[in-house]
Amino acid sequence: MFRRREPVPFAFLAEAERFRSNVTPPPRERATVGQIAGRWLMGLTIVSALVGSLVIGWPALEVDHSSTPTQQSQASDGR
């Protein structure tokens, strides 16, 4: 490959392994008590909805063999 003869702006950024900035980012804002409580409430709502749907839907997933008699069609009688 050929190298460019003209100077490339910010070429030192491409050649450097990692860019080190002397500007520090602002500190993160701490979550307020209301925000923490809201996150906990949202998590509890999601978990309770999943558990509730499992509890309500569990009877539909069970197969009850005693109450349904086995029926055979006429095709299975060999006619």
Side-chain angles (χ1 to χ4, degrees):
M1 297 212 34
F2 64 92
R3 295 192 72 134
R4 294 184 183 189
R5 294 177 194 250
E6 72 273 3
V8 179
F10 305 110
F12 64 92
L13 291 178
E15 294 174 1
E17 292 179 13
R18 183 170 72 96
F19 178 69
R20 294 187 187 106
S21 174
N22 59 354
V23 179
T24 58
R28 288 184 59 182
E29 293 183 16
R30 294 186 56 118
T32 63
V33 175
Q35 289 174 337
I36 294 172
R39 291 175 189 163
W40 271 95
L41 186 61
M42 180 63 72
L44 285 175
T45 303
I46 292 170
V47 169
S48 63
L50 291 172
V51 170
S53 64
L54 186 64
V55 167
I56 291 173
W58 195 263
L61 297 174
E62 292 180 358
V63 178
D64 190 16
H65 294 290
S66 63
S67 64
T68 56
T70 57
Q71 297 178 355
Q72 294 181 347
S73 64
Q74 291 178 356
S76 65
D77 291 339
R79 295 182 185 178

